[in-house]
Amino acid sequence: MTTKVLIVEDEEKIARFVELELKYEGYDVEKAYDGRAGLELIRSSPFDIVLLDIMLPGLNGIEVLRRIRQNSNIPVILLTARDAVVDKVTGLDSGADDYITKPFAIEELLARIRAVLRKREISEVKTEDTLRFKKLTLNPQGREVHVGDTSVHLTKKEFDLLELLLENKNIVMTRETILDRIWDYDFSGGTNAVDVYIRYLRAKLEEPFGLKIFHTIRGVGYVIKDED
Ligand code: CA
């Protein structure tokens, strides 16, 4: 799907230049030359990201941003004048995702657009993602684990190990992979540590609740499997 960008910028030359560059990169672009026009476009059609100049006639960019944030979570990058430190701080406080100082190199703007969109993607995936297996649920943000309605306290390593196995359900995780992901790469305690932590998890999650969660693949590692 094409990414739709809205540029709100009263300096037509800048707006036009950014539009051409973004179109060249494959983005869909629309322009507004003042804040009210920008707000109207945002209300009437969906954009993936807004590039918002701060110094706009009439409604300034910060005010436009505040109004956007009343009912929308759309990513916004502010375009600020050189050295306008106060603007940047106010802008970020008002809910901007990032800012870029004019004049900017188009490569930098493109990099920031990609970074903001990527960050949004990651956080959207994450917030949806309560991991589940049978009565077991794991909430990655809150770092909470429940079996049914019962909250289970796990140490950091136990939690990370459970999360890794749930994220890779039905895929056998070798002890080496687990060590590599959960422990420091230079951890020298041996793969035995994985077995020890699986034992801790079984003691907290399987035995008290009569659940079968972790399968041992002898000589290889562990897996959480959907029953077939
Ligand atoms: Ca301006």
Side-chain angles (χ1 to χ4, degrees), residues 58-192:
L59 218 50
N60 76 45
I62 298 293
E63 188 51 37
V64 172
L65 176 58
R66 290 208 179 101
R67 296 195 189 186
I68 292 173
R69 282 290 172 261
Q70 283 168 8
N71 51 21
S72 164
N73 201 23
I74 184 174
V76 174
I77 297 178
L78 290 174
L79 312 178
T80 76
R82 190 201 297 273
D83 298 333
V85 178
V86 178
D87 283 352
K88 291 170 195 166
V89 173
T90 320
L92 293 174
D93 281 350
S94 310
D97 292 76
D98 201 355
Y99 61 84
I100 187 165
T101 307
K102 294 197 278 188
F104 47 80
I106 195 70
E107 290 75 19
E108 188 187 353
L109 177 63
L110 291 168
R112 283 175 189 266
I113 290 173
R114 285 193 298 267
V116 164
L117 290 174
R118 199 160 52 228
K119 222 186 293 173
R120 284 305 182 98
E121 252 169 48
I122 292 168
S123 68
E124 271 160 28
V125 168
K126 285 240 161 166
T127 46
E128 288 167 3
D129 250 5
T130 295
L131 299 167
R132 293 167 202 283
F133 177 75
K134 294 181 181 170
K135 289 190 293 178
L136 173 70
T137 55
L138 179 147
N139 170 344
Q141 283 75 52
R143 295 189 71 82
E144 290 166 335
V145 173
H146 286 84
V147 179
D149 295 330
T150 311
S151 166
V152 180
H153 175 76
L154 299 183
T155 65
K156 182 180 183 309
K157 287 260 187 293
E158 291 166 355
F159 184 95
D160 292 345
L161 175 54
L162 178 62
E163 186 179 26
L164 178 69
L165 289 169
L166 282 171
E167 277 174 344
N168 294 281
K169 203 154 57 171
N170 301 315
I171 301 170
V172 177
M173 294 278 108
T174 66
R175 290 184 176 80
E176 288 72 21
T177 302
I178 294 171
L179 273 183
D180 189 55
R181 301 273 193 90
I182 310 290
W183 278 267
D184 291 337
Y185 57 90
D186 59 353
F187 176 76
S188 55
T191 53
N192 180 38

Side-chain angles (χ1 to χ4, degrees), residues 9-11 14 53-57 102:
E9 165 65 84
D10 59 312
E11 287 158 84
I14 295 181
D53 184 30
I54 291 187
M55 296 292 286
L56 290 168
K102 294 197 278 188

Side-chain angles (χ1 to χ4, degrees), residues 4-33:
K4 288 190 70 180
V5 183
L6 174 64
I7 306 167
V8 187
E9 165 65 84
D10 59 312
E11 287 158 84
E12 293 189 22
K13 266 169 70 179
I14 295 181
R16 180 76 190 137
F17 168 69
V18 173
E19 177 189 27
L20 286 174
E21 293 287 343
L22 290 178
K23 281 188 168 166
Y24 180 75
E25 293 291 324
Y27 292 98
D28 254 5
V29 182
E30 286 198 48
K31 300 193 300 286
Y33 297 119

